Structures are given as structure tokens and as C-alpha cells.
């Protein structure tokens, strides 16, 4: 069962912040985040492996709340280059760090000057 | 260094025909994955190779789909008797190991079945 992402889309001005949420109905041991620009391959951002773990990639950070079975991605002081569709991926086999991922439907972020 | 390479980038075929999609992973990556992405959706897992063997093909939708990786490097996804519902972008990814390694995706092959 694929994770649920919200919102589906968000429009920002440069410098604004945004939060993207990823929820699962099953136990999570890891969450993966990718960004895909139109017509391009998804690009790895980060993996969160433990409950409560937070990671950062430039001014993009993420948290993982194992208890709530969810992860959030934070875009801080957004730049034009942050535009794209963000996907979270969780192991297909719940409660594992399984290699095969189930991806959410994505959140499309548009950053305008 | 070179990333994951997929050919062709676009493939248009008629319903009922056979197609082959090729993936050349990053050199040294032992794990290789095929995913399928439909418009407006996230990638959907098809098959996973560790080395030469298909470690997990549970995502293949039916027996018209088959993939090989004979020498542990290049992989080919084969689709027989294509149907219009097979139209999608087929993404290949590789990683240095299996669990929890970042996936490096290719740009995909856009398959259109008419």
C-alpha cells in the first residue's frame, strides 16, 4: 500500500517555506525522499532510518516520526531550483528496511520569483 | 562519472508487438531495479536484481513482462504482446548495495502503445 502525500501541490515565492507530509497506514522503519523535475529522472535527497531522525540536504530537511508513521520534508527559504515533484518512498514490506519501495503520488512544488 | 543510461528514450509500438528496453547501470552497482511510472504517479516497483539473478520479480504485472541481467551489468526489460495499458515511463535504477542505498535513476524510456 503506497504512502499518502499531502499536499498534492504547492506554489511558493522565492524565500518562502513549505512542508510536505508523507503518511503510512503501516509501521515504518525507513522513509526515502526523491525530487523529480519535469522530464527528468528522480534524484535522491535523503533516507531517514530511525524514528525521530532528522536529516538535511542544503536547506531541505526532513523528520521521521515512527510512532505517527509519518515523515515531513521541510523546504526552507525556497529557491527556484527547488521546483519539482517530491516523492516519498517506504518499504513495500511494512516494518522492514526492504529494498523495494512503494512511492507516494508526489507533491508538485512550484517556486516563483 | 556516468549515470544510469536507458535506451531508447522513447518507443512507440503497436498493440500486440514485442519491445525491449535497455538499462546500463552505474559501473560497480550490484543492485538494479526496474520501476514503471504512469502520468501523475510515483514510480511503481517491477523487479529487483542483485548481481545476475532476479532477487524479486513480484512487481511484474503479468507473464508478458520479463527482465534479464545475464552478466550482472546491463539489463533488458522485455514486454510481449504489448497492450495500451502498458504505456508509461519505464525507469531503471541502480544502487551500490541493496537495502537503504540511494537509488540512482535513469531518465527512463517512454513507451507508447498505439
Amino acid at each position: 500500500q503506497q504512502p499518502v502525500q499531502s499536499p498534492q501541490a504547492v506554489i511558493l515565492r522565492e524565500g518562502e517555506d513549505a512542508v510536505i507530509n508523507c503518511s503510512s497506514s503501516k509501521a515504518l522503519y525507513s522513509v526515502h525522499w526523491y525530487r523529480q523535475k519535469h522530464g527528468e529522472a528522480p534524484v535522491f535527497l535523503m533516507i531517514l532510518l530511525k524514528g525521530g531522525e532528522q536529516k538535511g540536504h542544503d536547506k531541505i530537511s526532513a523528520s521521521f516520526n515512527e510512532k505517527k508513521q509519518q515523515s515531513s520534508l521541510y523546504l526552507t527559504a525556497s529557491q527556484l531550483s527547488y521546483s519539482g515533484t517530491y516523492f516519498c518512498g517506504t518499504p513495500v514490506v511494512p516494518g522492514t528496511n526492504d529494498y523495494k519501495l512503494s512511492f507516494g503520488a508526489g507533491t508538485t512544488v512550484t517556486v516563483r520569483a | 562519472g556516468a549515470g544510469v543510461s536507458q535506451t531508447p528514450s522513447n518507443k512507440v509500438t503497436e498493440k500486440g508487438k514485442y519491445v525491449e528496453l535497455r538499462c546500463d547501470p552505474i559501473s560497480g552497482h550490484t543492485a538494479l531495479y526496474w520501476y514503471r511510472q504512469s502520468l501523475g504517479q510515483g514510480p511503481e516497483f517491477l523487479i529487483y536484481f542483485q548481481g545476475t539473478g532476479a532477487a524479486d520479480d513480484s512487481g511484474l504485472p503479468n507473464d508478458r513482462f520479463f527482465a534479464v541481467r545475464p552478466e550482472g551489468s546491463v539489463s533488458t526489460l522485455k514486454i510481449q504482446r504489448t497492450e495500451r495499458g502498458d504505456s508509461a515511463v519505464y525507469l531503471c535504477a541502480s544502487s551500490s548495495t541493496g537495502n537503504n542505498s540511494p537509488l540512482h535513476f535513469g531518465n527512463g524510456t517512454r513507451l507508447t502503445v498505439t
Side-chain angles (χ1 to χ4, degrees):
Chain A
Q1 190 169 358
Q2 67 178 153
V4 176
Q5 288 186 236
S6 63
Q8 280 187 307
V10 60
I11 299 175
L12 303 166
R13 290 205 179 273
E14 261 186 306
E16 290 183 339
D17 303 339
V19 180
I20 299 169
N21 296 306
C22 173
S23 299
S24 172
S25 59
K26 309 280 186 180
L28 290 177
Y29 283 5
S30 65
V31 179
H32 304 227
W33 285 97
Y34 288 79
R35 178 174 64 205
Q36 184 176 32
K37 294 186 181 282
H38 185 68
E40 298 181 8
V43 173
F44 170 76
L45 293 176
M46 64 192 82
I47 297 174
L48 297 103
L49 293 177
K50 295 181 227 177
E53 185 173 24
Q54 297 190 20
K55 280 200 172 176
H57 175 88
D58 198 7
K59 286 188 177 174
I60 299 174
S61 61
S63 64
F64 180 17
N65 188 322
E66 194 179 335
K67 241 182 189 180
K68 292 185 179 178
Q69 295 168 187
Q70 70 180 37
S71 176
S72 296
L73 189 74
Y74 305 93
L75 307 182
T76 304
S78 58
Q79 305 168 18
L80 295 175
S81 61
Y82 288 2
S83 293
T85 300
Y86 290 78
F87 294 99
C88 67
T90 59
V92 169
V93 181
T96 71
N97 287 328
D98 191 61
Y99 49 82
K100 58 187 181 188
L101 301 178
S102 175
F103 286 92
T107 296
T108 299
V109 173
T110 304
V111 181
R112 294 185 174 158
Chain B
V4 176
S5 174
Q6 291 188 246
T7 55
S9 55
N10 279 285
K11 177 72 178 178
V12 180
T13 190
E14 291 180 349
K15 179 175 177 295
K17 299 287 189 184
Y18 167 83
V19 295
E20 290 189 351
L21 312 179
R22 176 188 165 105
C23 172
D24 201 341
I26 292 172
S27 177
H29 279 191
T30 58
L32 185 146
Y33 309 76
W34 284 98
Y35 281 80
R36 178 169 71 175
Q37 187 173 27
S38 299
L39 195 62
Q41 296 297 314
E44 173 194 6
F45 171 80
L46 296 177
I47 187 169
Y48 160 64
F49 288 89
Q50 183 59 260
T52 59
D56 188 335
D57 65 358
S58 61
L60 295 177
N62 51 60
D63 61 6
R64 295 186 297 105
F65 289 75
F66 188 72
V68 295
R69 193 186 186 197
E71 296 176 357
S73 179
V74 171
S75 175
T76 304
L77 178 66
K78 308 180 182 195
I79 310 174
Q80 297 178 321
R81 305 182 304 279
T82 51
E83 299 177 357
R84 292 197 180 88
D86 299 335
S87 297
V89 175
Y90 289 81
L91 293 167
C92 176
S94 68
S95 68
S96 55
T97 61
N99 291 6
N100 296 319
S101 296
L103 299 180
H104 299 265
F105 284 92
N107 284 334
T109 294
R110 180 176 298 278
L111 176 66
T112 304
V113 182
T114 62

